[in-house]
């Protein structure tokens, strides 16, 4: 298994576990949790791209 595939699986498991934990907190709605996860992925990609091209 390639390093990038392992990292992708690890990241997916981490995000999934954080979503499960977040949904157990009273007052956290499932819709807002999924919107947050959907918005953070492009933001993380932009940060990764920025750091890999400017340093």
């Amino acid at each position: 298994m390639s390093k990038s595939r392992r990292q992708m699986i690890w990241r997916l498991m981490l995000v999934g576990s954080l979503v499960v934990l977040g949904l157990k907190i009273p007052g956290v709605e499932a819709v807002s949790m999924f919107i947050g996860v959907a918005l953070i992925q492009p933001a993380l990609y932009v940060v990764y791209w920025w750091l890999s091209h400017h340093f």
Side-chain angles (χ1 to χ4, degrees), residues 6-54:
R6 281 194 306 265
Q7 288 176 344
M8 182 182 68
I9 292 171
W10 176 250
R11 193 176 316 130
L12 184 62
M13 288 175 28
L14 178 65
V15 168
S17 62
L18 289 175
V19 166
V20 169
L21 288 174
L23 291 176
K24 293 192 178 283
I25 299 172
V28 175
E29 297 179 11
V31 175
S32 60
M33 179 68 71
F34 290 118
I35 289 172
V37 169
L39 291 176
I40 198 69
Q41 294 303 320
L44 289 175
Y45 179 77
V46 169
V47 168
Y48 172 76
W49 178 84
W50 179 268
L51 292 176
S52 65
H53 285 87
H54 289 86

